[in-house]
Amino acid sequence: MRFLIVALLLVFPVCPALAGGLTAQDFAYGFLLDIQEDGAIYSLVVPDEVYRIARRADLADVRVLNASDEVVPHVLRELGENETDLRIQDNVPYFPLAENRQGGNEVDLAVNVSRRADGMIISIDPDNVAATDRSARRSYLLDLSGLKTETGKLEFTWKNGDLPFNTVGLQESDDLVHWQPLVDRATLADLEYGGHRVEQKGIVLPAKPLRYLKMIGQEGQRLPNLQKVTAFSEKLAVRKQRRWLSLGDGRIGHAGARSVIAYNSEFHLPADGARLRFPEANSMIRASVQSRPDEQSPWISRCSAVFYALRMGGAEINNDVCSFMRTNDSQWRLEIIEDGAGLEKADRTPSLELGWTAAELLFVARGPAPFTLAFGSGRLESDTEQPATDMILQAVSGKESEQIVRPAVPGRKIELGGKDVLRSPPPPLPWKQWLLWAILCAGVGLLACMVRHLIREMGKSD
């Protein structure tokens, strides 16, 4: 028994200590985070540099450290999950137009219109109309030339709720002389009966730049007196924004009977869209965008489309983005189904661009500031431990989330452990197996000693 104890004491000292907690030196680089000091949970969009350097496609080698070099809880989520769409709101100048008493048509707007140098209307003096009876308004002129953003919706407010039910049409013009139909029929209503209310105060506009609009009452209807016209821009995704990365010119080859162009992004991106940039105008191909995580995996088709770049009248027309489910694959290729760009004989291949959306990182401000976003660690490349916690998401899911979550801004990039820590460490020594074999050998040795001692005792008895 004493032999076994001595053997165990000899084995244990050479066993390495269990891996301690992570420190800043376990990561290659970091960003210092600028935060407000009175917050509890902070949010930031993961910088592009993190995706370029991180060793894990799921960003599992990213941590947030406080000034005491302690890891604080954090979680990653897609920006689309709680995205807030905002609209820019502007007041629209409007001018009531009188009905021509002789012909019953609208006033010719080209007569006596005063405009500023930027095109914005100052006043309209329809002197060919003898009187302007406001109760006889059949049309309004709306001046959108002074708006800074493209208008996506108009909302009308009428005086004293004087809008029972009206059908209107919209015309557009760039010079107040030539008019084109924009919206044939739109309904504006504000009805209340039996405790129920039907309200329709807005008109959705086509997505295009607009300068001047004329709203005309349909079917002889006279429009009530306007009090306010509000323009709302198209929805602005202030948090979610697709980025684009060009993989450059690829290498053309063959896979079976079809030509393929191979690309390599060299790092993992949460890509969900692709587009092509042709070296020559008026090019068109039918192709399949394919990807895979590594060389041992099979190719997976992400999307198939007709890609083109056509130049007409000095303007270039391109196809829509080829969208697909998000993937973090690093190897990409283009399989040519139908070549309309002469790629086999061309000197250059089209450039493949990947569209991707950065994730949002939420962390708890535990411990002293400043906080550091640390990333890039070969030590965590094969680690299965997930430090992220969903408790943060539960804490910010309520109505008071805007008061709880404060913004954090990535500041200066700093070097922590440097490039050396990006390399995967050598595989750990099998100390557990060695220890087991040592115990087994010690047990066999102890058993042999016991047998030898027993034989000697038996010999003495004989």
Side-chain angles (χ1 to χ4, degrees), residues 288-347:
S288 171
V289 179
Q290 302 175 353
S291 69
R292 62 181 181 179
D294 49 59
E295 295 182 356
Q296 289 73 31
S297 302
W299 290 99
I300 301 175
S301 178
R302 299 301 176 183
C303 67
S304 298
V306 176
F307 299 90
Y308 55 86
L310 306 177
R311 186 175 297 276
M312 301 176 61
E316 186 170 319
I317 303 175
N318 298 284
N319 59 288
D320 295 333
V321 175
C322 187
S323 301
F324 46 84
M325 295 294 293
R326 184 177 290 105
T327 177
N328 297 92
D329 293 347
S330 60
Q331 296 188 10
W332 294 82
R333 79 175 186 182
L334 201 67
E335 185 179 60
I336 309 300
I337 301 175
E338 186 177 354
D339 185 7
L343 298 180
E344 289 288 348
K345 299 181 181 179
D347 297 333

Side-chain angles (χ1 to χ4, degrees), residues 45-77:
V45 178
V46 178
D48 298 359
E49 191 72 8
V50 175
Y51 287 98
R52 296 177 182 270
I53 297 178
R55 302 287 295 174
R56 295 281 296 270
D58 56 356
L59 300 185
D61 57 335
V62 173
R63 299 291 190 276
V64 179
L65 307 173
N66 59 23
S68 300
D69 215 14
E70 298 174 342
V71 177
V72 301
H74 81 275
V75 69
L76 291 166
R77 69 175 179 182

Side-chain angles (χ1 to χ4, degrees), residues 71-89:
V71 177
V72 301
H74 81 275
V75 69
L76 291 166
R77 69 175 179 182
E78 299 299 330
L79 287 177
E81 295 178 1
N82 263 349
E83 178 183 339
T84 301
D85 290 328
L86 299 181
R87 293 179 184 266
I88 297 177
Q89 179 176 337

Side-chain angles (χ1 to χ4, degrees), residues 245-456:
L245 172 72
S246 176
L247 302 186
D249 298 336
R251 304 180 306 276
I252 192 166
H254 294 84
R258 290 180 175 176
S259 300
V260 294
I261 304 176
Y263 304 88
N264 192 351
S265 67
E266 297 182 356
F267 49 88
H268 304 281
L269 289 176
D272 59 0
R275 65 187 183 188
L276 293 183
R277 288 290 181 259
F278 291 93
E280 186 177 358
N282 297 331
S283 299
M284 179 181 299
I285 63 171
R286 185 187 301 274
S288 171
V289 179
Q290 302 175 353
S291 69
R292 62 181 181 179
D294 49 59
E295 295 182 356
Q296 289 73 31
S297 302
W299 290 99
I300 301 175
S301 178
R302 299 301 176 183
C303 67
S304 298
V306 176
F307 299 90
Y308 55 86
L310 306 177
R311 186 175 297 276
M312 301 176 61
E316 186 170 319
I317 303 175
N318 298 284
N319 59 288
D320 295 333
V321 175
C322 187
S323 301
F324 46 84
M325 295 294 293
R326 184 177 290 105
T327 177
N328 297 92
D329 293 347
S330 60
Q331 296 188 10
W332 294 82
R333 79 175 186 182
L334 201 67
E335 185 179 60
I336 309 300
I337 301 175
E338 186 177 354
D339 185 7
L343 298 180
E344 289 288 348
K345 299 181 181 179
D347 297 333
R348 295 177 55 192
T349 59
S351 173
L352 177 63
E353 295 185 354
L354 296 180
W356 58 286
T357 305
E360 179 187 25
L361 186 144
L362 300 169
F363 69 92
V364 179
R366 187 183 65 192
F371 294 90
T372 302
L373 176 65
F375 55 94
S377 176
R379 173 182 173 181
L380 299 176
E381 187 173 2
S382 59
D383 187 27
T384 58
E385 180 184 359
Q386 296 294 333
T389 171
D390 293 337
M391 292 188 297
I392 302 177
L393 296 180
Q394 297 179 7
V396 301
S397 61
K399 297 181 179 179
E400 298 81 9
S401 60
E402 296 182 358
Q403 301 177 1
I404 299 176
V405 180
R406 300 293 179 86
V409 180
R412 180 171 55 92
K413 179 184 175 182
I414 59 176
E415 181 175 325
L416 299 176
K419 295 182 179 179
D420 294 338
V421 300
L422 290 175
R423 293 193 295 266
S424 300
L429 297 176
W431 293 106
K432 293 183 179 180
Q433 297 182 10
W434 292 1
L435 178 60
L436 179 60
W437 280 106
I439 294 176
L440 292 176
C441 292
V444 172
L446 179 61
L447 182 61
C449 292
M450 294 176 61
V451 171
R452 180 180 178 185
H453 179 73
L454 181 60
I455 293 175
R456 287 182 177 178

Side-chain angles (χ1 to χ4, degrees), residues 199-242:
E199 188 177 34
Q200 177 65 38
K201 301 194 303 181
I203 300 178
V204 178
L205 302 180
K208 58 184 300 186
L210 299 170
R211 288 179 61 83
Y212 307 111
L213 296 181
K214 184 165 57 173
M215 182 173 64
I216 305 172
Q218 299 291 330
E219 300 174 357
Q221 297 184 30
R222 285 168 170 76
L223 301 179
N225 294 323
L226 270 178
Q227 185 178 22
K228 183 179 180 182
V229 180
T230 307
F232 295 89
S233 67
E234 291 288 345
K235 286 186 177 182
L236 302 177
V238 295
R239 297 174 61 197
K240 183 177 181 180
Q241 182 180 6
R242 177 180 276 174

